[in-house]
Amino acid sequence: EIKLWKFHKPVGVITTTKDPLKRKTVFDLIPKNLPRLMPIGRLDRKSEGLLLLTNNGTLSRYFELPKNKIIRVYSVRVKGKVEENQLNVIRRGIKVDRVRYAPIKVKVESYNISSTWLKMELIEGKNREIRKICSYFGWEVSKLIRQRYGKFNLGNLKPGVLKEVKDHPYSDVYL
């Protein structure tokens, strides 16, 4: 049986099974009595938000492959002001340090004198994609939260909390 869990990964925790540097991992925070779980995708140490975990490697791979066009939605707070013309560059797709990033849906959610909250929708999710793109524009990311991964939302799940997803669309299907 394919099982799926939602986990709110807190800041400061890494997404790996074992860390040679002995930093805290997501697996240090979840109950030990569960089957062997694997993360679907990753979130870097400074990021937080929705991390899906499964007992099925095929499902994990399905979610991660760009060809399956599974949307990931992030709330990103950057210091300072963001210009519309910069957002248009991101919407068209951008090359940073010889890496080509696909177009990203991006919009300003809110802003004040010191920061701007952006909503970003990605399909690819390359390594540190959002941070690298923001850095390219000189925007310092002060908060990065994955709100959604495919059909699954973070909702009001608190940091460090794991919740099994019952009746998910993959429960009886082996992909």
Side-chain angles (χ1 to χ4, degrees):
E1 180 187 12
I2 297 174
K3 296 206 171 236
L4 191 65
W5 284 264
K6 293 189 331 181
F7 179 68
H8 186 152
K9 186 194 101 48
V11 172
V13 175
I14 59 174
T15 309
T16 189
T17 47
K18 287 194 172 46
D19 180 41
L21 302 177
K22 305 280 189 242
R23 296 171 293 184
K24 189 177 282 194
T25 75
V26 294
F27 295 99
D28 293 329
L29 301 178
I30 63 175
K32 304 296 179 240
N33 62 340
L34 294 172
R36 190 175 90 71
L37 298 178
M38 57 200 74
I40 296 176
R42 301 172 87 77
L43 286 169
D44 69 31
R45 193 167 54 85
K46 294 178 184 175
S47 300
E48 67 174 288
L50 181 62
L51 182 67
L52 297 175
L53 298 159
T54 183
N55 62 342
N56 185 281
T58 305
L59 179 62
S60 174
R61 191 75 188 125
Y62 175 82
F63 266 85
E64 293 170 359
L65 286 173
K67 73 175 186 178
N68 294 320
K69 301 204 181 312
I70 296 176
I71 296 171
R72 302 133 167 100
V73 178
Y74 299 82
S75 295
V76 185
R77 185 177 64 203
V78 297
K79 293 186 178 170
K81 188 165 177 3
V82 171
E83 302 294 336
E84 192 65 25
N85 62 336
Q86 295 170 313
L87 298 180
N88 286 333
V89 172
I90 296 170
R91 291 177 185 127
R92 287 191 298 268
I94 185 172
K95 194 172 185 180
V96 178
D97 295 331
R98 296 191 298 267
V99 177
R100 186 95 183 112
Y101 297 105
I104 295 172
K105 279 188 182 175
V106 59
K107 69 177 187 176
V108 173
E109 292 272 271
S110 66
Y111 60 92
N112 60 38
I113 197 156
S114 62
S115 64
T116 303
W117 276 99
L118 301 170
K119 178 181 177 185
M120 299 178 106
E121 292 185 23
L122 289 75
I123 290 174
E124 270 186 324
K126 289 180 179 167
N127 185 302
R128 291 183 176 22
E129 181 169 351
I130 291 173
R131 290 185 187 282
K132 289 175 181 174
I133 290 169
C134 288
S135 176
Y136 174 83
F137 290 106
W139 306 335
E140 184 185 336
V141 174
S142 57
K143 199 105 167 121
L144 198 157
I145 308 164
R146 180 158 51 207
Q147 299 289 350
R148 196 174 91 210
Y149 199 130
K151 297 175 179 160
F152 304 98
N153 288 302
L154 181 61
N156 58 5
L157 201 62
K158 300 281 182 250
V161 174
L162 179 75
K163 180 181 178 188
E164 186 173 355
V165 178
K166 305 282 188 186
D167 304 322
H168 60 83
Y170 310 99
S171 48
D172 298 321
V173 179
Y174 192 80
L175 300 164

